[in-house]
Amino acid sequence: MPKAILFDLDGTITDSGVGIIKSAAYALEYYGLPVPDARTMRAFVGPPLRDTFLKFGVPAESCDEAVEKYREHYIPIGIYENFPYPGIENLLANLKEQGCKLYIATSKPEWMAVDVLTRFHLEGYFDIIAGATMDGTRDTKSDVIAYLLAQTGSISNAVMGGDTAFDVIGAAAHNIPCIGVSWGYGTVAEMQKAGALSIAETVPELLNMLAE
């Protein structure tokens, strides 16, 4: 069977932090909540937004509204404050040449993921782009991977690449090992604690690990 490789999007394929952080700050300011420094705000990149807004002081009953405020800024502006990491397209092209099946599994709403990848002419590398729903009914990494597997059937010889512990944990829920990448928005320590198979420090190193 060809190797199946699942990729996270934000912080793994593209550096989307600027747009996400500015949009999250826009929502926090709406509630009169303090906006921490940029490093602390990196927590918004990757996990479901509702969960993160709760951690930053938005009342539970207002988290859905906070996501809507976030999108007021993100959809017209923030989504485009984004770019692929250097070397990523070469990595994808190499893996496709080797016959790998490539998939996206992201907590970003699916149409946004398709829009971002299409903007950078990367969508054609992926057999399926699986993402979250706008209403939050599918937003965790485990939910998204389950949705992806429902479309593909069982995937054997699979591995995931992601930048946070959420990727490691979500993949493990489906018995898929995860290679962490150090250039994203999680921490190496958190990914290792969650059980990452290994950590790639550079894009070429990730390619070598995935091709093994």
Side-chain angles (χ1 to χ4, degrees):
M1 294 291 291
K3 178 175 284 187
I5 303 174
L6 287 63
F7 287 100
D8 172 53
L9 179 57
D10 295 328
T12 302
I13 298 295
T14 67
D15 187 348
S16 53
V18 171
I20 290 173
I21 289 169
K22 286 183 179 179
S23 301
Y26 174 86
L28 291 176
E29 289 168 353
Y30 172 79
Y31 291 99
L33 292 169
V35 177
D37 61 85
R39 184 164 188 82
T40 303
M41 290 290 286
R42 287 163 65 96
F44 278 95
V45 185
L49 287 169
R50 290 167 180 80
D51 297 346
T52 312
F53 276 122
L54 188 63
K55 293 176 182 177
F56 278 71
V58 176
E61 65 274 13
S62 298
C63 284
D64 285 344
E65 182 187 41
V67 172
E68 293 305 312
K69 297 304 295 184
Y70 166 94
R71 289 173 179 160
E72 280 184 11
H73 186 276
Y74 186 74
I75 291 175
I77 301 171
I79 194 171
Y80 301 115
E81 296 176 307
N82 192 356
F83 56 88
Y85 287 103
I88 282 294
E89 184 164 12
N90 181 66
L91 175 144
L92 298 175
N94 270 275
L95 292 172
K96 290 299 282 187
E97 287 174 5
Q98 294 174 35
C100 297
K101 295 283 190 179
L102 306 184
Y103 305 96
I104 286 288
T106 175
S107 295
K108 182 188 288 298
E110 189 168 298
W111 75 263
M112 293 186 189
V114 172
D115 187 50
V116 167
L117 290 165
T118 300
R119 176 179 176 82
F120 297 122
H121 308 292
L122 298 177
E123 80 286 355
Y125 290 105
F126 298 99
D127 293 84
I128 296 175
I129 298 169
T133 54
M134 292 287 283
D135 63 6
T137 54
R138 180 176 71 243
D139 64 354
T140 69
K141 190 53 59 88
S142 178
D143 289 344
V144 171
I145 294 174
Y147 163 70
L148 172 61
L149 294 176
Q151 297 177 69
T152 62
S154 61
I155 294 179
S156 60
N157 197 23
V159 65
M160 179 153 193
D163 70 309
T164 71
F166 297 99
D167 299 309
V168 180
I169 294 166
H174 300 279
N175 298 311
I176 298 172
C178 183
I179 297 172
V181 304
S182 67
W183 55 81
Y185 287 82
T187 69
V188 168
E190 288 171 345
M191 289 186 283
Q192 289 174 329
K193 183 178 179 180
L197 180 66
S198 54
I199 303 294
E201 299 289 343
T202 66
V203 173
E205 188 175 0
L206 176 62
L207 175 59
N208 290 335
M209 290 178 177
L210 291 173
E212 289 179 353

